[in-house]
């Protein structure tokens, strides 16, 4: 029975007739199958119910109602800024994480304290945070760029491995180059390795309509296995107990940024890359076309944007970022190619990208997740929590941000009682 | 001959978990929700099975717990997608990450080990009295895990349910033309939720087979892409139960071949790639032919009032 719908019916319906400036109509549905750029930047679907909805129909509005309506409007104006929804999702995720911790028989305050001090409480902690943030930054940028064009590059992990492999090959076998040539050459090959691995998923999507998420994931497994093979047989260094390659030539190694730590200028390269991508997306034709393809594929095709070409280019840029993530790890942190060296940075990149909508905010969210990862490592000592807690937290964050309506409804949960109250008031007149 | 039998035997064993999840993927996709979350749902099923078996000491309670866990987890994602118009691709991926992290974390909390649970009571094999004595067939079908046998009636029931009952047609309508369902006065979300529950239960069985059927413990990320293979099998089969099962048989065979070759080949990494390469080939080779994808799949639906 369609008529039996409960209280939900009374809720502000998508206000097609009002608040067009909120922009949600122009951006299509938040849940449409193709991702749109920064889904959480725009207010949730349907815009925000107008404050006038809250006023009693008929009869003169009372001053008290008006006041409340104004507060609501204010709250909504705040919420329409993307970062507030993001912060709210983050807060809810941390709260749910606290429940997780309680379930494990631990004190949430103690665990979060440990997480915090492990990440930022000491010099080692801060260095570890920066070290972890570096690959996360590159991977976050990789996923973020792909999402701008409505693609979801889940192959970052595999592209990272292929970039690392390419950088390692050049770093080990090319000899006699000065460092100022050798390092860029390694980086170039890392980019090429990542981009090459990113090509097939998007090509298959265009040619055969295959969902890029599944193909890219399969490519991950293949890349990881291939690097396993390379580190176990052809590249394997002698007398090592673990499968790893020889050390790179000294000329291919990144210098240390801070003494007595493994932090390298890679993190600065990542930040520069973020700024470049931000500028590209914001102020160039290519960036504009990418965002256009991301928001509406068929409409941009109708306006003459070469959709397929833009999709391929975006995916290649994404692959370049991912390849650099791996290359930088090899040239900086490890100095060699090690079997299974990435603890899933590529997948962490999804959370980083989803939380930071634009390349610039990806820097912040990469630092945040770097801190979480560094703190999570500290959890392994003295508690029965593991670093996997961070993964669970990431999952919750992604789920919450994927459903902006949920955070919105939580924040406006007080709407309904308020509305009921105002209705009562009007009846009293 | 022995080699052939052993490959066929392991094909049967390796197909079973994928087949259950494939059935789940078919129902879910048919109702208009995409099945990218199957990996996480299957993993929670595998975890629930070990948890249930460990807590009660009975493997069959483990199977029930697996179904329960998987249903809860898949409902979470469907709730976000249906009631809050969450982007299905992102929320599916988020669910997989959440399931991977939460199960690994709970393993540490409950059993105190990193990434691996204690041994629990596993499902014992069933021996079929007379069939077991038949020479070749007996070796294949005479003694297997109960979940292998259960697959047959469940698959037949699924075919009937999806093709011959009002429920099945309504599920298909929810995925093809939700407006039609609405215009009949039926709620689309109801059928999507029901499909989610059914799909969760089926994937839970697949997960349970993985953890307490084949093994007797939970290993972190033990599904290793099988949820996505199930999705690929569903595409391979053109969103039909029979075809999808054939697809999962293909993946089961690829896995069996891979396991078999690992013992004889030196560079096992290349052999291990086989199932993933098969997935790639299947997806890229068949998807154009199969434009049977539910028309409204992956799109949120606003209930018409």
């Amino acid at each position: 029975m369609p008529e039996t719908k409960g209280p939900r019916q009374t809720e502000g319906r998508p206000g097609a007739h009002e608040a067009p400036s909120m922009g949600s109509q122009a951006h299509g549905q938040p849940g449409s199958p193709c991702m749109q750029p920064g889904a959480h930047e725009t207010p949730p679907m349907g815009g925000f119910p107008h404050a006038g909805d809250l006023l009693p129909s008929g009869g003169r509005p009372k001053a008290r109602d008006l006041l409340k309506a104004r507060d609501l409007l204010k709250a909504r104006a705040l919420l329409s800024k993307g970062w507030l929804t993001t912060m709210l999702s983050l807060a809810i995720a941390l709260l749910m994480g606290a429940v997780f911790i309680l379930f494990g028989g631990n004190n949430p305050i103690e665990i979060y304290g440990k997480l915090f001090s492990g990440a930022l409480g000491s010099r080692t902690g801060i260095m570890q945070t920066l070290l972890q943030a570096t690959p996360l930054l590159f991977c976050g940028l990789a996923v973020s760029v792909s999402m701008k064009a409505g693609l979801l590059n889940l192959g970052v992990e595999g592209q990272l491995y292929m970039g690392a492999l390419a950088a390692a090959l050049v770093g080990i076998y090319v000899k006699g180059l000065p460092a100022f040539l050798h390092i860029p050459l390694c980086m170039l090959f890392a980019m090429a390795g990542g981009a090459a691995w990113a090509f097939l998923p998007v090509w298959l999507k265009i040619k055969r309509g295959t969902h890029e998420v599944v193909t890219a994931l399969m490519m991950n497994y293949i890349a990881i296995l291939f690097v396993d093979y390379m580190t176990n047989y052809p590249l394997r260094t002698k007398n090592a107990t673990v499968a790893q390659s020889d050390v790179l030539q000294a000329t291919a190694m990144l210098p240390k940024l801070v003494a007595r730590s493994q932090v390298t200028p890679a993190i600065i390269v990542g930040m520069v890359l973020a700024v470049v991508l931000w500028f590209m997306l914001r102020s160039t034709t290519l960036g504009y076309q990418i965002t256009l393809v991301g928001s509406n594929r068929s409409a941009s095709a109708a306006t003459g944007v070469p959709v397929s070409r833009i999709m391929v280019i975006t995916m290649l840029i994404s692959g370049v970022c991912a390849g650099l993530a791996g290359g930088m790890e090899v040239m900086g942190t490890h100095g060699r190619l090690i079997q299974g060296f990435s603890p899933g940075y590529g997948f962490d990149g999804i959370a980083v990208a989803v939380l930071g909508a634009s390349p610039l905010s990806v820097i912040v969210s990469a630092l945040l997740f770097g801190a979480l990862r560094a703190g999570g490592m500290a959890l392994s000592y003295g508690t029965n929590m593991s670093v996997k807690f961070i993964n669970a937290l990431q999952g919750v964050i992604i789920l919450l941000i994927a459903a902006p309506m949920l955070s919105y409804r939580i924040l406006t949960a007080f709407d309904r009682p308020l509305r009921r109250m105002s209705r009562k008031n009007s009846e009293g007149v | 001959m022995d080699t052939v039998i052993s490959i066929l035997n392991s094909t049967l064993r390796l197909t079973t978990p994928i087949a259950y999840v494939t059935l789940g993927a078919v129902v879910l996709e048919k109702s208009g929700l995409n099945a990218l979350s199957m990996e996480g749902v299957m993993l929670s099923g595998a975890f629930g099975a070990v948890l249930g078996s460990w807590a009660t000491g009975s493997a069959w309670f483990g199977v029930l717990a697996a179904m329960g866990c998987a249903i809860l987890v898949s409902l979470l994602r469907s709730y976000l997608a249906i009631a809050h118009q969450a982007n299905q691709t992102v929320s599916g991926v988020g669910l997989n990450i959440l399931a991977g992290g939460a199960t690994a974390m709970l393993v540490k909390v409950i059993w105190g080990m990193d990434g691996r649970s204690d041994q629990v009571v596993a499902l014992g094999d069933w021996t079929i009295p007379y069939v077991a004595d038949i020479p070749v067939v007996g070796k294949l079908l005479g003694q297997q895990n109960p979940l292998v046998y259960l697959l047959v009636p469940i698959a037949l029931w699924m075919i009937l349910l999806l093709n011959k009952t009002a429920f099945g047609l309504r599920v298909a309508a929810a995925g093809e033309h939700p407006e039609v369902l609405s215009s009949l006065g039926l709620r689309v979300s109801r059928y999507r939720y029901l499909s989610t529950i059914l799909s969760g239960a089926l994937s839970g069985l697949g997960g349970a087979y993985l953890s307490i059927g084949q093994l007797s413990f939970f290993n972190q990320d033990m599904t290793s892409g099988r949820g996505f293979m199930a999705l690929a099998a569903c595409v391979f089969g053109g969103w039909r139960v029979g075809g999808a099962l054939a697809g999962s048989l293909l993946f089961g065979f690829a896995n069996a071949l891979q396991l078999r070759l690992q013992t004889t080949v030196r560079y096992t990494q290349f052999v291990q790639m086989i199932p993933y390469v098969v997935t790639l080939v299947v997806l890229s080779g068949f998807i154009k032919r199969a434009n049977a994808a539910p028309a409204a799949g992956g799109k949120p639906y606003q209930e018409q009032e």
Side-chain angles (χ1 to χ4, degrees):
Chain A
M1 291 292 122
E3 288 82 15
T4 54
K5 206 181 171 195
R8 221 192 303 174
Q9 207 164 10
T10 58
E11 219 170 64
R13 297 296 304 155
H17 56 289
E18 59 202 10
S21 60
M22 294 299 192
S24 63
Q25 252 67 34
H27 284 266
Q29 318 245 316
S32 56
C34 61
M35 296 255 322
Q36 49 181 281
H40 52 293
E41 272 181 338
T42 55
M45 176 152 137
F48 301 104
H50 198 272
D53 296 352
L54 302 169
L55 295 173
S57 51
R60 224 169 45 124
K62 287 190 166 184
R64 206 173 117 211
D65 296 333
L66 274 179
L67 197 72
K68 270 173 193 150
R70 208 172 59 204
D71 288 348
L72 269 178
L73 263 190
K74 242 189 241 166
R76 279 178 191 142
L78 262 177
L79 196 77
S80 68
K81 292 196 173 73
W83 61 268
L84 199 75
T85 324
T86 309
M87 287 320 237
L88 189 70
S89 305
L90 202 60
I92 297 172
L94 286 176
L95 257 170
M96 289 170 91
V99 176
F100 259 136
I101 295 171
L102 271 176
F103 185 73
N106 290 295
N107 179 356
I109 298 172
E110 192 187 317
I111 295 287
Y112 278 135
K114 222 170 171 147
L115 209 66
F116 186 78
S117 67
L120 301 168
S122 65
R123 187 181 180 277
T124 350
I126 294 173
M127 289 306 140
Q128 192 61 38
T129 297
L130 291 178
L131 200 64
Q132 296 290 334
T134 311
L136 292 183
L137 176 54
F138 285 105
C139 294
L141 288 174
V143 180
S144 173
V145 168
S146 71
M147 279 164 67
K148 293 282 178 214
L151 298 159
L152 186 55
N153 182 5
L154 277 204
V156 172
E157 186 79 0
Q159 291 145 24
L160 176 147
Y161 271 99
M162 292 319 261
L165 175 64
L169 287 175
V170 177
I172 295 170
Y173 293 113
V174 176
K175 290 174 182 145
L177 278 181
F180 71 88
L181 283 180
H182 205 174
I183 291 177
L185 190 70
C186 284
M187 282 168 63
L188 211 64
F189 270 80
M191 293 174 176
W197 214 244
F199 179 70
L200 190 64
V202 69
W203 188 76
L204 284 178
K205 185 186 178 78
I206 291 167
K207 289 284 165 207
R208 316 285 310 179
T210 321
H211 202 308
E212 80 277 10
V213 165
V214 185
T215 41
L217 275 164
M218 295 299 130
M219 302 276 289
N220 282 346
Y221 289 106
I222 296 171
I224 293 171
L225 284 167
F226 186 64
V227 170
D228 270 16
Y229 159 76
M230 291 302 277
T231 48
N232 268 302
Y233 302 104
L235 292 182
R236 185 167 184 143
T237 183
K238 294 200 172 51
N239 307 324
T241 45
V242 275
Q244 56 183 22
S245 75
D246 288 329
V247 180
L248 267 63
Q249 307 284 327
T251 49
M253 298 270 240
L254 293 173
K256 298 282 178 260
L257 189 65
V258 188
R260 292 184 297 117
S261 79
Q262 287 174 299
V263 180
T264 62
I267 190 155
I268 295 174
V269 176
M271 288 178 183
V272 172
L273 184 66
V275 175
V276 169
L277 288 175
W278 171 75
F279 179 79
M280 187 271 287
L281 286 169
R282 205 185 128 93
S283 313
T284 66
T285 317
L286 177 66
Y288 180 69
Q289 289 181 329
I290 288 176
T291 351
L292 212 60
V293 170
S295 50
N296 194 331
R297 211 166 284 163
S298 46
S300 46
T303 54
V305 176
V307 174
S308 299
R309 180 149 33 115
I310 294 293
M311 277 162 65
V312 172
I313 291 174
T314 314
M315 201 66 169
L316 291 184
I317 296 175
S318 172
V320 161
C321 298
L324 270 178
M328 291 303 192
E329 284 294 283
V330 165
M331 295 157 65
T333 315
H334 302 298
R336 55 181 10 143
L337 187 64
I338 305 170
Q339 172 182 3
F341 69 89
S342 162
Y345 289 131
F347 296 106
D348 294 358
I350 304 161
V352 172
V354 168
L355 194 65
S358 92
L360 281 189
S361 41
V362 163
I363 299 180
V364 181
S365 74
L367 286 170
L368 175 74
F369 279 111
L372 278 175
R373 210 166 230 299
M377 288 168 153
L379 282 186
S380 315
Y381 310 105
T383 67
N384 64 356
M385 305 287 296
S386 72
V387 72
K388 285 287 180 182
F389 169 63
I390 307 301
N391 290 44
L393 216 56
Q394 281 176 358
V396 175
I397 291 174
I398 297 173
L399 282 177
L400 284 173
I401 295 186
M405 281 298 267
L406 183 63
S407 308
Y408 168 68
R409 281 184 184 151
I410 290 173
L411 209 75
T412 53
F414 58 88
D415 264 22
R416 216 173 291 162
L418 205 66
R419 204 176 304 152
R420 207 169 300 139
M421 211 153 62
S422 64
R423 201 176 302 136
K424 246 181 222 154
N425 281 345
S426 72
E427 279 160 7
V429 172
Chain B
M1 193 62 203
D2 276 353
T3 323
V4 174
I5 288 180
S6 91
I7 289 184
L8 284 180
N9 202 12
S10 56
T11 301
L12 206 57
R13 282 186 299 109
L14 294 165
T15 299
T16 307
I18 302 179
Y20 278 114
V21 184
T22 304
L23 290 176
V26 170
V27 185
L28 199 65
E29 287 254 323
K30 263 200 172 296
S31 79
L33 294 161
N34 80 18
L36 276 173
S37 58
M38 297 320 270
E39 181 84 359
V41 173
M42 187 184 187
L43 194 63
S44 350
F47 178 79
V50 170
L51 191 66
S53 173
W54 173 76
T56 62
S58 150
W60 284 104
F61 273 110
V63 173
L64 282 182
M67 291 162 72
C69 259
I71 289 173
L72 276 181
V73 170
S74 52
L75 272 177
L76 168 72
R77 191 276 192 127
S78 294
Y79 168 69
L80 290 177
I82 296 169
H84 299 288
Q85 275 96 39
N87 179 309
Q88 292 189 11
T89 305
V90 181
S91 61
V93 169
L95 192 84
N96 294 338
I97 292 178
L98 172 62
T103 50
M105 189 191 95
L106 288 174
V107 163
K108 180 90 187 284
V109 168
I110 296 172
W111 292 286
M113 282 191 289
D114 265 319
R116 196 175 173 288
S117 79
D118 285 349
Q119 296 270 340
V120 296
V121 185
L123 280 175
D125 282 358
W126 277 353
T127 312
I128 306 294
Y130 298 103
V131 180
D133 302 331
I134 307 169
V136 177
V137 181
K139 272 193 181 147
L140 273 181
L141 302 174
Q143 190 185 8
Q144 286 287 359
N145 196 279
L147 289 179
V148 177
Y149 293 120
L150 268 181
L151 181 62
V152 179
I154 287 181
L156 290 175
W157 176 67
M158 285 288 296
I159 292 176
L160 290 178
L161 183 74
L162 287 182
N163 298 319
K164 302 283 176 208
T165 65
F167 172 79
L169 297 177
R170 284 169 185 171
V171 165
E176 290 288 350
H177 300 292
E179 330 60 57
V180 172
L181 206 58
S182 253
S183 70
L184 292 173
L186 297 164
R187 292 179 59 80
V188 174
S189 58
R190 184 188 145 104
Y191 286 92
R192 291 195 173 166
Y193 278 129
L194 286 174
S195 311
T196 305
I197 292 172
L198 184 55
S199 132
L202 289 165
S203 328
L205 285 175
Y209 180 77
L210 216 54
S211 62
I212 60 171
Q214 278 179 338
L215 304 166
S216 55
F217 56 87
F218 177 84
N219 212 341
Q220 78 179 38
D221 298 326
M222 69 190 305
T223 44
S224 59
R226 284 187 183 82
F228 297 108
M229 289 179 188
L231 174 56
C234 168
V235 173
F236 173 86
W239 287 265
R240 281 187 309 272
V241 175
L245 284 176
S248 55
L249 198 65
L250 178 67
F251 288 117
F253 179 69
N255 266 319
L257 197 69
Q258 178 257 114
L259 273 183
R260 179 78 202 175
L261 286 176
Q262 266 194 43
T263 54
T264 53
V265 174
R266 175 142 184 251
Y267 301 125
T268 52
Q269 283 88 358
F270 291 104
V271 173
Q272 283 171 277
M273 286 178 196
I274 291 175
Y276 306 114
V277 174
V278 169
T279 313
L280 269 179
V281 171
V282 161
L283 275 177
S284 48
F286 284 89
I287 197 140
K288 266 277 157 84
R289 191 202 66 178
N291 38 17
K299 298 188 185 77
Y301 182 70
Q302 276 274 312
E303 214 75 56
Q304 309 288 317
E305 305 303 340

